Amino acid sequence: MHFGSFYRRDLRSAQLLLWRQLQQYGYILIALGVALMVIGIRQFGGLEGIELKTFDSQVRYYATDAGLPEVVVVGITEADIRHYNHWPLSDNTVAELLERLQTYQPAAIGLDIYRDIDHPPGRERLTQQLAMENVYGVYDVGLDPARSSDPPQGMDPDRTGFADFVADTDGVIRRNFMFASIAPDDFYALGLRLSLHVLKERYGPDIFEKNLEGLTIAGTLFPPLDSDTGGYQNGDMGGYQVMLQYQTKHEAIRQVSLTEVLNDQVDPDWFKDKVVLVGTVAPSIKDTFFTPLNAQNGSEATTPGVILHAHTVSQILAVVAGDYALIWSWSQWQEILWIGAWCFIGGTLAWHIQRFVLLTISSAIALLILISTGWILFSYGGWIPFVPAALGFAIVVSSTIAYQVFYRTFYDPLTSLPNRVSSLKRLQHHLRRRYDPEPMVALLLIDLDLFKSVNESLGVAVADRLLQIVAERIVQYMPKAEAARIGGDLFAVILPSVAHTQEVVDITDQLQKNLMSSIQIDGQSVSTTISIGIALHRKGQGYFANELLQDAHRALGKAKHQGRDRHEVFNPEMRTRSVFQFQLEMELRHAGEDKQFQLYYQPIVHLNSGQIAGFEALIRWQHPERGIVPPNDFIGIAEDTGMILTMGNWILDEACRQIRQWQQLFPRVDPLFIGVNLSSRQFVQQDLATTIATIVQKHQIDPRGLKLELTESVAMENVETAIQQLLKLKNKGLHISLDDFGTGYSSLSYLHRLPIDSLKIDKSFVDRMESNSENADIVGTIVSLGHRLQLDMIAEGVETQAQAQLLKQLHCQYAQGYFFAKPLPINQAAQLLAQNKSWSIDGEDI
């Protein structure tokens, strides 16, 4: 691989720059994409239902309890029908009603009942009333002349109108179908006929004009709805239609019954100069419809057709008079821009407000403004699409948050490189590949030397730009590699296919020479060096990415430790000789001289008496800087280095001194004892027995007061040698305990041959005694076996009273564990002895 190819600005370098731009302005693309999606759904009618329901809720909210000033309804009720015991009503009854209404001097009368056939008696009388110039009638629904019935006899066709209410797909009447022209005929709605009659009286005869722009009535334009008005999408808007302005609740309209009129139970002033509409309001006739005012009430329509005519007449008269305006909406382009604007607002908020609580509050306020705007404009007759705008806003906010979460999970926001998580996934992918021509994967960790100084001296902005430049150059110079930023100033470069180590070293040499050269930021030169750690591994051998990363870290640590501005290749020795172990080993060598070791004592309790029978001595390292260092961190080092021998002798000496002191201060029939663990290296010493005997003699204690504990695994390494060593110790009068019994079942065949005095049951069996009867049986078997061999039994790791009670029932003599006490420093252990501490296994502490 020639390094000259690194200087080609290839597609990957351009992609990094593009990706960074997307990271800065990605919310614009998200907003645009969501806006197009929402607009597309809306254009195909996907949101029409919810928009119309929202329209209904606005109508209900703004509908008042005020009556319609220009209109009165004479409703034919169920009581009227029962009274006359006839439906349809006879011609005579209808004629009598019209005669009585005319005496009240109405402006016009609209008859919303079909009278196209005779209902004797009284046809001649009715014909006379239908011939009156202010009486208008309705004919059969539909605009097809071939199926429309003739106007009522005696009525001029110019005083008839259709009653074809336009229902939406959900059956709700929201539109007023005013007029249609099918050459050569014109068709007027009944409401329009009645309105024109009134308006001609006011403004003269030539007040009505139709053209492509709409209907002009008394100088007021009624523009027709188009197929995309408001919440409608591709709706059938044939003829001249306008949105019905339900300003008044149905029950607020003045209504009187047929009987009330004929019985003269009404005020004539109610009808004078008003438009009187006559029609059935009886539910049994089923001339009822759904409207925005009742659509939420269930499956039964409750608004009679005559009431709808009253709304249409009132709307036309009010609009011409200037009391109300028609419901208006924006053009399609205005609505699209409105939806897009709110998508952009949502993306801007989600992109720039990083705190979740603040974003939630800001989004709620924005949605409140959006919804309030829609409702306020509706109060002025404006029907704007706030449902798709709100939907787009919500989707953009959630999508932007999801994108940011995804991006921050897998990419570094500053450099737009993959981050640690993403790079480890890619590295693992390459390590698992088995059949590549090149057998190895290489990982380079690049650390900027003295980056902290750049940050502190030149500022955060310069330091950030430096990191971006480094990222760009790594991608540009190494087009076949996969770069990532995995820490502050730490970059990872994956070479997915390399043949040998020298190839990687050559690449690294060139990279180290050229990566940081000639960097200018804001007119000033920035100069620093890099240290590189290299780790390689063969593919398809089950090696994990995090392990290779650790190897590279160790190599990088060595490179920086040896002076920076260099690179190192990982080798296995780096793994076994970590910096921490080296330092710990050095400090451990001085711990004994500086008297940093202490013995802690864990009580061993006699289960029958509940009193302390002795202690187990456990070493602790009181480091002056690290605090207490647990044994697991340094015993292994002590074993490997041989320091365990000196440490072991000190433990034996200190334990013997302490047992001597306690036996004198707290004399008992059965003297206290202290158990001391023997390490594997101690146990194989030829002079172990003599060394221990000398220490015992030095402190003038009974050898039985010192119990030597040997782990089962050590005893089983070489059974015959172990037996010989144990016999030497026994000959010195020392007490021997086999520790962790039960973890190595092979010891059962040798147990009767080992010269020991007690067994310590492993904690792993004691832990599961309460929940597993099999473990309790095993412990019972071990105890029985020990008793048969005349051995003392000690249970380790007792943590609950139930465990202690069960061990007592199994006739185990001794126990130790956190239930009684954890390992204690010498003064606390002495306090227990001074208090003559005793535990009641079957009850509370004594």
Side-chain angles (χ1 to χ4, degrees), residues 19-162:
W19 191 238
R20 188 174 299 160
Q21 293 298 316
L22 291 177
Q23 170 59 10
Q24 293 177 353
Y25 305 107
Y27 67 97
I28 298 177
L29 293 180
I30 295 174
L32 179 60
V34 172
L36 291 175
M37 178 190 72
V38 171
I39 292 169
I41 294 173
R42 183 172 186 264
Q43 291 298 105
F44 285 101
L47 300 177
E48 181 174 300
I50 188 171
E51 288 201 78
L52 293 179
K53 294 298 183 185
T54 306
F55 174 87
D56 294 346
S57 65
Q58 292 173 314
V59 168
R60 289 192 295 270
Y61 180 80
Y62 286 110
T64 68
D65 293 320
L68 299 179
E70 303 273 4
V71 180
V72 177
V73 173
V74 177
I76 302 172
T77 66
E78 294 285 1
D80 295 332
I81 295 173
R82 288 195 299 269
H83 176 74
Y84 290 97
N85 196 27
H86 188 275
W87 184 259
L89 296 175
S90 68
D91 292 342
N92 192 59
T93 302
V94 176
E96 183 182 1
L97 173 63
L98 294 175
E99 290 172 356
R100 182 61 56 89
L101 290 175
Q102 291 289 6
T103 63
Y104 300 149
Q105 300 178 4
I109 299 174
L111 195 62
D112 186 30
I113 53 178
Y114 298 110
R115 308 306 297 183
D116 53 340
I117 59 176
D118 294 344
H119 296 284
R123 182 62 196 178
E124 184 177 348
R125 183 182 181 187
L126 176 59
T127 301
Q128 292 177 355
Q129 292 300 316
L130 294 179
M132 301 294 290
E133 292 184 356
N134 67 339
V135 176
Y136 292 78
V138 67
Y139 58 84
D140 194 10
V141 296
L143 299 179
D144 184 359
R147 71 177 181 87
S148 296
S149 61
D150 294 331
Q153 294 180 10
M155 180 174 286
D156 189 323
D158 289 341
R159 287 187 288 108
T160 61
F162 62 83

Side-chain angles (χ1 to χ4, degrees), residues 142-443:
L143 299 179
D144 184 359
R147 71 177 181 87
S148 296
S149 61
D150 294 331
Q153 294 180 10
M155 180 174 286
D156 189 323
D158 289 341
R159 287 187 288 108
T160 61
F162 62 83
D164 196 1
F165 298 118
V166 180
D168 292 322
T169 55
D170 56 1
V172 179
I173 307 297
R174 300 183 179 91
R175 290 174 275 162
N176 177 9
F177 193 177
M178 299 174 62
F179 178 84
S181 181
I182 302 177
D185 299 315
D186 292 335
F187 299 87
Y188 293 76
L190 178 61
L192 178 59
R193 287 288 196 191
L194 291 167
S195 301
L196 290 176
H197 179 91
V198 174
L199 294 172
K200 286 177 181 179
E201 294 292 331
R202 297 178 183 177
Y203 301 105
D206 299 326
I207 62 169
F208 182 76
E209 180 184 354
K210 62 180 184 296
N211 52 50
L212 294 178
E213 295 182 359
L215 301 178
T216 301
I217 303 174
T220 302
L221 178 65
F222 287 72
L225 301 179
D226 60 39
S227 60
D228 295 324
T229 296
Y232 289 104
Q233 298 299 318
N234 304 312
D236 182 4
M237 299 296 177
Y240 290 82
Q241 303 178 39
V242 296
M243 297 300 297
L244 261 171
Q245 182 77 288
Y246 290 93
Q247 292 284 347
T248 301
K249 299 176 182 177
H250 298 327
E251 59 271 17
I253 300 174
R254 184 181 295 280
Q255 299 182 47
V256 296
S257 69
L258 170 68
T259 302
E260 289 174 332
V261 174
L262 294 181
N263 290 341
D264 202 20
Q265 296 174 338
V266 297
D267 185 345
D269 290 338
W270 294 349
F271 303 89
K272 185 176 176 59
D273 298 327
K274 303 292 178 62
V275 175
V276 180
L277 283 156
V278 180
T280 178
V281 295
S284 62
I285 305 304
K286 299 188 181 303
D287 183 28
T288 55
F289 302 88
F290 285 113
T291 72
L293 296 176
N294 66 19
Q296 83 280 12
N297 292 335
S299 59
E300 185 175 349
T302 59
T303 301
V306 67
I307 298 295
L308 288 176
H309 286 301
H311 279 292
T312 61
V313 171
S314 177
Q315 180 179 23
I316 295 172
L317 296 178
V319 170
V320 171
D323 296 332
Y324 295 108
L326 290 171
I327 294 176
W328 53 268
S329 62
W330 287 333
S331 68
Q332 280 292 93
W333 279 110
Q334 287 175 309
E335 293 181 345
I336 289 172
L337 291 175
W338 170 255
I339 296 170
W342 279 100
C343 290
F344 177 79
I345 291 171
T348 302
L349 290 177
W351 195 266
H352 293 98
I353 300 177
Q354 303 299 317
R355 296 174 59 184
F356 179 76
V357 173
L358 185 58
L359 175 59
T360 302
I361 295 173
S362 301
S363 299
I365 293 173
L367 282 174
L368 182 61
I369 293 173
L370 168 59
I371 294 172
S372 299
T373 301
W375 283 72
I376 292 172
L377 287 179
F378 194 83
S379 68
Y380 292 97
W383 185 19
I384 66 171
F386 69 82
V387 170
L391 178 63
F393 177 91
I395 294 176
V396 168
V397 169
S398 58
S399 299
T400 302
I401 293 173
Y403 169 77
Q404 289 179 323
V405 171
F406 167 82
Y407 188 86
R408 291 168 185 170
T409 301
F410 296 105
Y411 291 90
D412 170 51
L414 179 64
T415 63
S416 297
L417 291 176
N419 62 10
R420 178 186 177 93
V421 173
S422 185
S423 64
L424 283 176
K425 288 180 179 292
R426 293 297 303 159
L427 182 59
Q428 190 65 57
H429 168 74
H430 293 304
L431 285 170
R432 287 174 178 169
R433 297 175 66 177
R434 295 177 178 270
Y435 304 109
D436 280 357
E438 306 297 343
M440 290 193 296
V441 177
L443 176 65

Side-chain angles (χ1 to χ4, degrees), residues 120 147 333 346 412 519 568 621 629 649 682 689 698 786:
R147 71 177 181 87
W333 279 110
D412 170 51
I519 295 180
E568 289 288 338
W621 181 6
V629 180
N649 289 341
Q682 281 180 285
K698 170 185 174 183

